[in-house]
Amino acid sequence: MADRKGKFVLAALWAYLTAAGILLGYSLVGWGSIYPSLASPISGVILIYGFPFLIVSAVIWAFWKGKEQRLNVGLLRISSTVSVYAIEFALKILSRRSQTTKIELIEDLRSKTKETVVPAVFPSVLISEKDNRSVISIDGREVLPLGGISNVLNVYCKEAGDYLVYKTDEHGFHNPPGLWSLPKIDIAAVGDSFTQGACVPSEKNMIAKVREAFPRTLNMGGAGGGPLANLAEIKEYLAVKKPKVVFWDYAQNDLGRDLAREKQVPIMMKYMEKGFSQGLLNVQPKIDSTLLNYAESQMIEVVKNENALDTERFDPSLKGKIRRLALFFRIPKIRGLLIPRLGRTLPADFEMPNPEFALFEKVLAEADATVKSWNGQLVFVFLPDSKMYGFEPLLEGSMDPLEFKRRLLEIVHRVGVPIVDIDEAFRKAGGDPLNYFARVGTHLMTYYGHFNEAGYAIAGAAMVDYLKQSSLLSLDAGANK
């Protein structure tokens, strides 16, 4: 009887060790895939490879030494695993109580206002992963909206402060009302979330700072927008408004990730053709109704890439439940506490193996020619990434950030577009340039996101200084309200 019991305990121990090994491997493989920069620092090597090696070595030693040692190691593993997941569960409960998700905020705002409240919807979430086509159609025709839903409260993002909530303009962009009806626009800016003003109050973003000096300024920025999206906005909207100056704001994911994705989207590549347009300026009411329906029916899909907590908490499907369980086994809360200053940022352009330099040059040249067709001037604005300042180790094989910058600006010079260098402005401002980025998280888990209010102010001032020193605008542009 005792032998049978011992065999049962041993079999249960083997089953447990196998399951625990699978879970441990899943957790650490997931760790390495989410935070690939850990593959190069010593801490990453220890955590991803050294820790499992020690555990496997202990198990082998125990089985080699005998039954008593096997039992002791097994009991230690069981108690340790139970303790780890109990701590993970406790941290998960605490985070739920301390954080308001985007969906919760939307629901709260809807209960307090008569305004239509929606999550911010951008072109990048409207592209099907299956065939790179837009999921939106109007009158039976594929359409890729470039703005958002007009005249609604957009709940966008949160980094160092509260969520950015703003009312969209007549075409779904981040502007005060009435600018589109003006007979003349002096300045427009195209770009991604930095241009849009993530994640600071509306009056604190860099285009708002430009607007303080030059009131007739349009902000056309949208999260996830790359070079082809910029070109599309110029051809769809600005070719009608014909601003004298168009700022092209470059962010450090435009070539490596955004353009690589955009070139796979047929409707985006069509903007390289002369005269192509979707006619978006004239179908805004239909865009509004279609996107409103989409935002309501696909709210989890809209927000999941911006806030994993929303997906984790609100997706009621079986797939969502499986995702939540898998995420729990990866102990994300504990992992976040183990590594101080853990960067969670996506790879910058200079970390990517094949930045789209050649295609970018063609896109920029097409944009420059389009703006020049109405006697306007395209101005390139270089926006730095926090990784340029040594916050987190670069991925293995990365290009030197300054060499990447040199090659990029060489292309811009070759096309003949003037440059406003915000990296240079940050360095001239003094102190650590990282002070101009939003620091997200706690002292235990930190990463740097978009610019903070100080960073946006410096960027906006550099753009204003360029305009004042150039002869691009007439004297009344800065005075006419």
Side-chain angles (χ1 to χ4, degrees):
M1 183 70 178
D3 287 344
R4 184 179 300 176
K5 184 177 180 181
K7 290 180 179 179
F8 175 79
V9 171
L10 187 61
L13 179 59
W14 267 107
Y16 166 75
L17 290 174
T18 302
I22 292 172
L23 287 176
L24 178 64
Y26 177 72
S27 174
L28 291 169
V29 168
W31 198 345
S33 65
I34 293 173
Y35 306 121
S37 60
L38 290 178
S40 52
I42 296 298
S43 61
V45 173
I46 292 172
L47 286 166
I48 296 177
Y49 304 111
F51 184 55
F53 174 77
L54 290 176
I55 292 176
V56 171
S57 299
V59 172
I60 293 174
W61 173 84
F63 276 87
W64 177 62
K65 280 292 185 179
K67 183 184 296 185
E68 183 177 350
Q69 283 78 10
R70 289 198 296 270
L71 185 61
N72 289 338
V73 169
L75 291 174
L76 177 62
R77 288 284 305 279
I78 291 172
S79 60
S80 299
T81 303
V82 171
S83 299
V84 165
Y85 282 106
I87 294 171
E88 176 69 18
F89 182 76
L91 291 173
K92 183 182 179 71
I93 296 299
L94 288 174
S95 68
R96 284 188 172 189
R97 291 180 177 179
S98 62
Q99 297 183 49
T100 299
T101 71
K102 180 180 287 190
I103 294 178
E104 287 176 328
L105 178 58
I106 290 171
E107 292 174 345
D108 182 59
L109 289 172
R110 286 176 174 177
S111 70
K112 296 177 179 178
T113 180
K114 294 181 180 180
E115 299 269 11
T116 301
V117 184
V118 298
V121 181
F122 307 109
S124 56
V125 304
L126 301 176
I127 303 297
S128 169
E129 295 181 358
K130 295 179 180 179
D131 58 6
N132 291 313
R133 300 279 181 177
S134 173
V135 298
I136 301 299
S137 63
I138 294 176
D139 297 332
R141 174 175 63 95
E142 178 191 2
V143 172
L144 179 61
L146 299 173
I149 305 167
S150 68
N151 302 310
V152 296
L153 282 183
N154 244 14
V155 180
Y156 182 20
C157 62
K158 178 176 76 168
E159 287 184 340
D162 296 328
Y163 274 99
L164 168 59
V165 180
Y166 64 91
K167 187 161 186 176
T168 59
D169 68 13
E170 296 90 332
H171 291 283
F173 293 100
H174 192 181
N175 293 293
L179 281 177
W180 288 95
S181 61
L182 294 177
K184 179 182 179 183
I185 292 294
D186 296 310
I187 302 163
V190 295
D192 67 358
S193 50
F194 281 88
T195 305
Q196 187 179 9
C199 301
V200 299
S202 294
E203 70 277 8
K204 300 294 185 179
N205 68 62
M206 64 185 180
I207 306 306
K209 294 301 180 183
V210 174
R211 192 180 295 116
E212 288 178 3
F214 300 93
R216 297 187 295 246
T217 298
L218 271 178
N219 185 339
M220 306 290 291
L228 281 170
N230 293 352
L231 175 63
E233 290 171 353
I234 290 172
K235 291 192 170 186
E236 288 285 348
Y237 298 98
L238 301 187
V240 176
K241 301 305 292 184
K242 295 180 172 55
K244 188 64 179 175
V245 178
V246 177
F247 283 118
W248 177 294
D249 298 335
Y250 162 82
Q252 292 277 0
N253 49 27
D254 282 3
L255 272 62
R257 188 175 78 245
D258 293 342
L259 188 53
R261 181 191 69 241
E262 290 176 342
K263 74 176 184 179
Q264 305 297 326
V265 181
I267 201 168
M268 297 291 280
M269 284 299 293
K270 284 185 178 180
Y271 283 101
M272 292 296 291
E273 302 172 7
K274 301 292 183 184
F276 175 75
S277 172
Q278 298 184 78
L280 300 180
L281 199 62
N282 301 317
V283 293
Q284 189 63 46
K286 293 182 179 181
I287 290 174
D288 289 344
S289 60
T290 305
L291 288 184
L292 275 171
N293 291 334
Y294 178 83
E296 288 303 311
S297 63
Q298 302 290 327
M299 188 177 288
I300 292 294
E301 191 69 23
V302 170
V303 302
K304 75 176 183 180
N305 291 326
E306 301 173 38
N307 189 344
L309 188 60
D310 277 311
T311 307
E312 174 190 338
R313 201 182 304 181
F314 288 100
D315 189 347
S317 67
L318 177 61
K319 184 178 179 180
K321 292 175 182 177
I322 294 173
R323 186 187 296 119
R324 288 195 294 274
L325 183 62
L327 181 64
F328 176 77
F329 281 131
R330 285 188 176 187
I331 53 173
K333 306 297 182 186
I334 293 175
R335 291 204 309 260
L337 292 175
L338 284 177
I339 304 180
R341 292 171 60 85
L342 177 62
R344 295 198 296 145
T345 52
L346 292 169
D349 281 346
F350 45 78
E351 296 182 283
M352 301 296 283
N354 297 299
E356 298 284 347
F357 284 121
L359 179 56
F360 171 72
E361 183 168 358
K362 294 177 182 177
V363 175
L364 188 66
E366 179 64 21
D368 184 52
T370 303
V371 175
K372 284 180 177 175
S373 71
W374 67 74
N375 294 319
Q377 176 64 63
L378 190 68
V379 178
F380 186 87
V381 181
F382 179 87
L383 305 177
D385 185 272
S386 61
K387 293 181 183 179
M388 290 187 67
Y389 308 115
F391 163 61
E392 56 180 302
L394 303 183
L395 297 179
E396 185 176 348
S398 297
M399 187 184 302
D400 178 78
L402 294 181
E403 172 61 17
F404 176 89
K405 177 183 173 182
R406 184 195 66 78
R407 289 185 60 182
L408 177 71
L409 298 189
E410 187 177 79
I411 290 173
V412 180
H413 282 300
R414 193 157 58 237
V415 175
V417 176
I419 297 168
V420 177
D421 188 346
I422 305 305
D423 170 40
E424 185 178 290
F426 279 2
R427 295 179 191 275
K428 285 183 177 179
D432 186 350
L434 288 173
N435 291 335
Y436 306 124
F437 292 82
R439 181 169 175 169
V440 186
T442 68
H443 68 286
L444 288 172
M445 181 177 178
T446 299
Y447 69 97
Y448 288 92
H450 296 85
F451 298 159
N452 57 22
E453 293 181 14
Y456 279 123
I458 292 173
M463 296 163 79
V464 169
D465 287 345
Y466 172 82
L467 291 169
K468 289 182 176 179
Q469 293 170 14
S470 70
S471 57
L472 295 176
L473 297 174
S474 59
L475 295 176
D476 71 328
N480 195 327
K481 301 292 183 180

